[in-house]
Each structure stands twice: as C-alpha cells, then as structure tokens.
Amino acid sequence: MKKLLTALIIIVSLGTAGSVCAADFAKGERAYETGDYATALSEFKTLAEQGDAKAQFNLGFMYKTGKGVTQDDKKAVKWWRKASEKGEAQAQHNLGVVYEKGQVVV
C-alpha cells in the first residue's frame, strides 16, 4: 500500500503542462492532495474516460484505496488495465502486484 501511495505521488507530480487537459489534471491533483476527493474524482474520471493514462492510473488508485469512492478492486484493475495498454509503467507495475498476490478480480 505504501508503494502505491508513493507511486501516486510520483505520477501526479509529473503532470503535463500547457494544455486544457493539464489544467484539469492539475486541478484533480490539487484536490486529491487537499483531501477534496469528490473534485479529484470528477477531474480524473473525466480525463480517464477521454483516454488520459495518468488519470486512468489515478482513478484506479482511488478505487484501490477507497479514497472518494467505495473501495472496488474490479474498478481499480479496470482502470489500471486501460492505463497499462497506453504504456503507463506504474499501472503496469500495480497490475503485476495484484496478479502476483492473487488479488485480481476478473
């Protein structure tokens, strides 16, 4: 769990600058960091549904940890798979961890 939190902090700190999507991602990042999980969820979910891999990773993390949502391993894996398909390394790592521990819910 500690590795997942560290990973989220690293990924979120790498946010993209200079575009409208980056502003939304940054808003989600700030909201998450201040405990405003409803706003973070709204921003990340919108971007994740548009195919943003970092937002997909973060949304998966929120579902895995139950921050701002009901904890749901199926949804966490769903979003990490989408991010993994786009080459998001941390999502690939997290999927590997849940597979290794036999926590995958299909």
Side-chain angles (χ1 to χ4, degrees):
M1 185 60 107
K2 192 173 184 178
K3 287 182 182 180
L4 290 175
L5 181 56
T6 301
L8 176 65
I9 292 168
I10 291 169
I11 295 297
V12 173
S13 68
L14 295 175
T16 311
S19 71
V20 174
C21 288
D24 293 341
F25 188 88
K27 182 178 178 182
E29 175 183 42
R30 286 189 305 275
Y32 187 90
E33 290 172 355
T34 61
D36 180 2
Y37 300 123
T39 299
L41 176 65
S42 175
E43 297 301 325
F44 292 148
K45 187 170 185 180
T46 298
L47 291 168
E49 289 172 346
Q50 294 172 357
D52 183 290
K54 289 180 182 182
Q56 290 169 338
F57 168 78
N58 288 348
L59 188 56
F61 184 84
M62 291 180 77
Y63 278 111
K64 182 66 175 171
T65 60
K67 301 273 182 154
V69 295
T70 300
Q71 195 278 333
D72 188 328
D73 287 344
K74 285 183 181 181
K75 289 183 181 177
V77 168
K78 168 191 163 183
W79 288 109
W80 286 342
R81 280 186 182 142
K82 288 179 180 285
S84 291
E85 290 168 2
K86 292 181 178 65
E88 179 59 46
Q90 194 58 51
Q92 293 168 345
H93 170 80
N94 288 359
L95 279 177
V97 170
V98 295
Y99 287 142
E100 178 183 40
K101 293 183 177 185
Q103 298 173 338
V104 178
V105 182
V106 183

